Each structure stands twice: as C-alpha cells, then as structure tokens.
C-alpha cells in the first residue's frame, strides 16, 4: 500500500531477556485507584464506576531516554504507576478471564500538567491537555508475566533526586487488575498491544528541570530518567 506521507514509527517497548520489542496499540489509564491519592487530590473513590482516560501511544518515553519538560505548564507532576501490557483482549471480559490476557508488567510515570488539569476541572471541561501531551508517559522495559511474580504485596515506589516521594503496595489499589481489564472491556474492545496504567498512590508532587527519578516495581523492574 502506498501512503501520501511517511508512515510513523510504531511505538514499542523493550522486553526483558528477549531480543524482541512489544508493539504498542493504545494506552489506557485509570484515575483515583488509590484511596489516599484520591483524598490528596480532593476527590473520592467510586468503586462502582472506575474513571478512565487515555494517552496517545506516541507519548511513551522508552529505553531510559530523557524526558523534556513540557510546554504550557509551570506545575509538572509525577504519578508512578504499574503498567499492564495485554497480549490479547476482547469485549465484556469476565474478571476471571483477565489474567490470561496479560503479556507482562512495567513501571511507568503518568506525567500531568497539574495547573492545566486544575483549570479544566474548575470549568467542568475535559482535561486531555493535562494528561495526553508529548512525552507524558515514561515507561520501563516489560517483564513477561510468567517471570514477574506480581501480587498484592508487591511494592511500588518513586524516588526523586534520591528522596522517596511515593510508596504503596499493589494490594492498596481500589480496583484490581482483573477488575480494571473487565471494566475497560465494557467501554472498548481491548486488543493485544494495549497498555494499562493502573493508577498512582499518594505523594504526587512537582518535578523540575534537572530532576532525576527512579520508579520501582518491587525487585521486578525499575525505570530511571531525567527531566530536561
């Protein structure tokens, strides 16, 4: 097939221990999935109605690349999150069937232009520009699910310039991974190549140019980077 313009490169993520890359189709995110974070943001958790949003796949920052400080903000915030990568999908998925659809796990940051988000919230307007901007989704390599050993006791943490900013265990998530996958599949037909950022614990705060960060998912995988 011939195209009028050069075809954009497919976003992809390195896979731990394999000479392959994981092709990324879409990036889904869930908000308010840790009760203490919802509280610090002045919100509440609605267990019956999880809140989803998306980021463009080309917002990913991979392979430890530097993260440019974004335009149009003076209040860039970090949100550390476990990321789930799907190898298959479907619609109206039963939570009991969700685990079998997972290819692997990563750790990532949902970077947020907090001032733009606050302004949009005050107007009752969408806050896409606060979440879906360029370079807003740094992510580590993927660890295949059969080697990851992820469970409710797995810790998640973020350090900025060597100081711990965020810390929790995955068992503190309001909606479990199978519940997230099932709920998303009622809104979208999920497919292999989809990523799901699973929410952030309390402790979100500002990042500045020159800051170095380290995000960890237990001893499973880590991500180091720098804001430039």
């Amino acid at each position: 097939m011939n195209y009028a313009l050069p075809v954009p490169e497919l976003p992809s993520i390195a896979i731990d221990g394999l000479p392959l890359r994981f092709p990324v189709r879409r990036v889904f995110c869930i908000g308010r999935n840790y009760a203490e974070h919802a509280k610090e943001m002045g919100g509440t958790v609605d267990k019956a109605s999880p809140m989803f949003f998306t980021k463009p796949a080309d917002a990913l920052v991979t392979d430890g690349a530097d993260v440019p400080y974004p335009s149009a903000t003076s209040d860039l915030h970090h949100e550390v999150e476990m990321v789930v990568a799907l190898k298959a999908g479907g619609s109206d998925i039963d939570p009991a069937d969700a685990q079998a659809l997972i290819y692997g796990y990563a750790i990532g940051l949902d970077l947020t232009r907090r001032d733009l988000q606050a302004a949009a919230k005050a107007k009752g307007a969408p806050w896409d520009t606060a979440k879906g901007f360029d370079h807003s989704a740094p992510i580590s390599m993927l660890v295949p699910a059969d080697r990851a050993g992820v469970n409710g006791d797995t810790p998640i943490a973020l350090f900025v310039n060597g100081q711990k900013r965020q810390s929790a265990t995955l068992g503190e998530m309001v909606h479990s991974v199978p519940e997230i996958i099932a709920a998303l599949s009622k809104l979208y037909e999920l497919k292999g190549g989809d990523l799901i950022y699973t929410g952030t614990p309390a402790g979100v705060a500002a990042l500045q140019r020159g800051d170095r960060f380290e995000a960890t998912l237990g001893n499973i995988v880590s991500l180091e980077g720098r804001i430039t």
Side-chain angles (χ1 to χ4, degrees), residues 80 107 155-159 164 166-168 201 214-218:
V80 66
I107 190 74
I156 182 175
L158 178 72
F159 301 82
K164 184 180 287 187
Q166 293 183 266
S167 180
E214 180 183 11
T216 59
L217 180 63

Side-chain angles (χ1 to χ4, degrees), residues 74-99:
S74 59
D75 196 19
L76 177 69
H77 276 210
H78 57 72
E79 298 188 12
V80 66
E81 313 201 4
M82 181 179 73
V83 185
V84 173
L86 299 184
K87 62 183 177 182
S91 300
D92 295 317
I93 297 166
D94 190 295
D97 299 326
Q99 198 70 34

Side-chain angles (χ1 to χ4, degrees), residues 16 37 42 49 52 56 63 67 77-78 101 122-123 129-130 137 141-142 145-146 149 169 187-188 193 212 214:
D16 183 44
H37 171 60
S49 299
F52 296 113
D63 306 301
V67 181
H77 276 210
H78 57 72
L101 305 176
K123 297 176 182 177
T129 57
M141 69 174 65
L142 279 176
D146 59 358
T169 64
L187 300 169
Y188 306 91
R212 293 186 176 272
E214 180 183 11

Side-chain angles (χ1 to χ4, degrees), residues 5-6 25 38 44 101 120 125 129 138 147 175 178 206 216 228:
L5 298 173
R25 177 175 174 263
T44 58
L101 305 176
T129 57
R147 290 197 277 111
H175 304 275
T216 59
T228 60

Side-chain angles (χ1 to χ4, degrees), residues 8-58:
E9 182 178 354
L10 178 69
S12 66
I13 306 170
I15 303 171
D16 183 44
L18 295 176
L20 303 170
R21 293 185 71 87
F22 182 87
V24 178
R25 177 175 174 263
R26 290 187 293 188
V27 179
F28 298 100
C29 307
I30 183 170
R32 300 179 184 177
N33 202 29
Y34 287 79
E36 289 303 309
H37 171 60
K39 186 184 299 182
E40 76 177 349
M41 297 304 297
T44 58
V45 171
D46 186 349
K47 177 71 173 177
S49 299
M51 182 181 68
F52 296 113
F53 59 95
T54 62
K55 290 177 180 273
D58 64 3

Side-chain angles (χ1 to χ4, degrees), residues 85-146:
L86 299 184
K87 62 183 177 182
S91 300
D92 295 317
I93 297 166
D94 190 295
D97 299 326
Q99 198 70 34
L101 305 176
I102 297 174
Y103 179 88
Y105 300 89
I107 190 74
L109 297 184
D110 165 19
L111 296 179
T112 304
R113 295 194 276 207
R114 193 70 74 197
D115 43 1
L116 299 192
Q117 186 185 41
K121 285 182 176 180
K123 297 176 182 177
W127 29 272
D128 301 59
T129 57
K131 290 288 191 178
F133 54 92
D134 297 341
H135 315 295
S136 63
I139 190 169
S140 71
M141 69 174 65
L142 279 176
V143 177
D146 59 358

